[in-house]
Amino acid sequence: MVKHQPLQVYEKQVFVSFVTGIYGCRWKRYQRSQDDTSGWECTWFLILCSSFLLLLFWAYFWLVAQNDFNDFNWLVFNRSGEWRDETIPIITCTTVGFSYITFLLVTILALFHVSLGQQLNLYWVHKIGVLATLLTTISGVVSVDDIWRDEWDILLVSLQSTAPFLHIGALATVTAMSWLVAGYVVRKERSSKYIQVMVLLIYIIILVAVCLAPLTFTCPCIMDRHSLKQRPDIIGRRGAPMLAPENTMVSFNRALQHGASSLEADVTISVDGVPFLMRDNTLRRTTDVRKVFPARQYEDASFFNWTEIRSLNAGQWFLETDPYWTVKTLTGKDRSRIGNQTVCSLVEMLRLASRANSSALLNIRKPPPEHPRYRSWFMDTLWAVQKAGISQKRVTWTPDTDRGRVRGLKQTASEKLSVEEIRQRGITSLTLHYSKASHKDIQEYLANNVSVTVYPVNEPWLYSILWCSGVPSVSSDAPQVLRKVPYPIWLMSRNAYSFIWITSDLVSLAIVIGIFCFQKWRISGMQNYNPEQIMLSAVTRRSSREVNIMKEKLIFSELNNGLSSTDELSLYPDNGYARYSHGGLSR
């Protein structure tokens, strides 16, 4: 007779307990099960995956949309009447939601692999959290589509810069997922053959699509270095509005100090025919009109006379609201100077440009039909240009109208036109939004001697791809940022990129094939192992790693062969031992 010995086939599974506890609030071993997950829980898993993909898209959108945060806040102001940085709560909620969903998804993957197929029973608190996160993100997407629909175009524009790097990241992710896919496909006891084939087929399609994705990329910075053109000139759009109040003298001075070669301003005509600088239709946002003229705060800015406009403070709002989180960097002298700013006239701005030997781009807002200067706005503007003493060749304005009456000044069109229309209208320059200026269009315009200015360009990645596209100048709210970009962020020859692309694809395919072969060998070895050999070898004390391996092999063997009705496996947590009775063992 053989004396029964306690077999060391049980040890505490701390990591599995942590994972199942966090995901499904099942902290005890008896609460866990390796039975197939129910259809309802599988549905929640799909909801979790959908939430992750949507949040990934949402987070990427706000990452690249930083270029236009100023325009977003301006749109919100026009709707609500209050100037606030609405991007802060959006980014905060997106970061929290994305981190939470990512944590749950990583937990599921760990649960699926490490614990050998534990049930995916999502805790009800997490279900509420996932659903709330999903609905909040969907409502955010719908809201952006309502008030900022044109901004979706930045996603395609950004891919000109990020696509090669996103391809490498996607390839690494799909390659890593092969471990889980291979482990699922090669196991025979977990699902039907049909489902396994479908999973494998879907994975292969995704892998091939990711490998061939670079065929669809259009990246201007994939070019020879000697073909790179001169660095685009930077136009200070409303000066340097992130450092000082927009359209003020201190803002234009800051722009020139940070390397701007030209100044851009929004021009409005007062009721007594004085052109002054103001972006909004009203004076509420950038002046203290609420305090000085409370009854007229919603009145169109063009219906104020110049004396009234000049009496308003145009800098205090910047110090109070700190729209770009830059006020804390100002010195006491700068704060005092900004706090005493008044509304700037066109003549003052043009004189500054003339002294700095720079040019000016004017966006003129025509007065409404009932305005006294409705028919003479262009004469008022011409008078201001002549009074400033700046060369007319250095002044460009929009809109492109009244060309027969405006002589000597450059006019630029702010709409996308065909080459034929440009020739018919005698236009020599275009000022286009970056979403309207594709790499192909830019090359066509430049080939026909049409100068192109692109706006707004506030981020280095956008400046870099426009530089590689050959754009002569860009209009920016952040000249202090673009000044620090002496060279495109990345530049690569086509041969070098093709080598990286093909090499990464081949390495990925080799790793995937190797993982599938290894998983096949590993699982088949477990399924073919003799359980009695495991029990006999467990009589002696083994290391934790060896016990884990024996345990897995025993589980798979029992799942394949099945235990007889008289077999019994009893686990005792005492001292980390388990006692196995097999109806008695004999030599």
Side-chain angles (χ1 to χ4, degrees), residues 103-205:
F103 175 74
L104 286 181
L105 193 61
V106 171
T107 301
I108 284 184
L109 297 179
L111 184 67
F112 179 81
H113 172 64
V114 177
S115 58
L116 300 177
Q118 291 285 338
Q119 282 185 336
L120 302 178
N121 293 323
L122 185 64
Y123 192 44
W124 66 269
V125 173
H126 290 319
K127 291 178 181 178
I128 295 175
V130 170
L131 194 59
T133 303
L134 179 61
L135 294 178
T136 302
T137 306
I138 292 175
S139 64
V141 172
V142 173
S143 299
V144 167
D145 188 66
D146 178 41
I147 67 175
W148 210 22
R149 179 171 299 178
D150 293 340
E151 189 65 15
W152 296 123
D153 294 336
I154 199 173
L155 293 172
L156 295 178
V157 175
S158 68
L159 290 178
Q160 298 180 39
S161 177
T162 61
F165 307 99
L166 293 178
H167 169 249
I168 298 297
L171 195 62
T173 302
V174 174
T175 302
M177 289 295 296
S178 66
W179 180 270
L180 300 177
V181 175
Y184 176 78
V185 169
V186 299
R187 292 177 182 173
K188 299 179 180 180
E189 76 283 351
R190 279 300 175 189
S191 60
S192 66
K193 201 69 175 177
Y194 173 77
I195 297 178
Q196 291 175 319
V197 171
M198 287 299 298
V199 170
L200 181 60
L201 182 61
I202 292 173
Y203 177 78
I204 292 175
I205 292 174

Side-chain angles (χ1 to χ4, degrees), residues 29-57:
R29 177 181 289 268
Y30 69 85
Q31 293 177 312
R32 301 196 292 268
S33 172
Q34 291 184 336
D35 295 337
D36 290 337
T37 303
S38 65
W40 175 245
E41 293 298 333
C42 288
T43 301
W44 275 106
F45 172 72
L46 294 178
I47 293 175
L48 182 61
C49 292
S50 301
S51 301
F52 173 78
L53 294 176
L54 180 60
L55 273 167
L56 185 63
F57 163 81

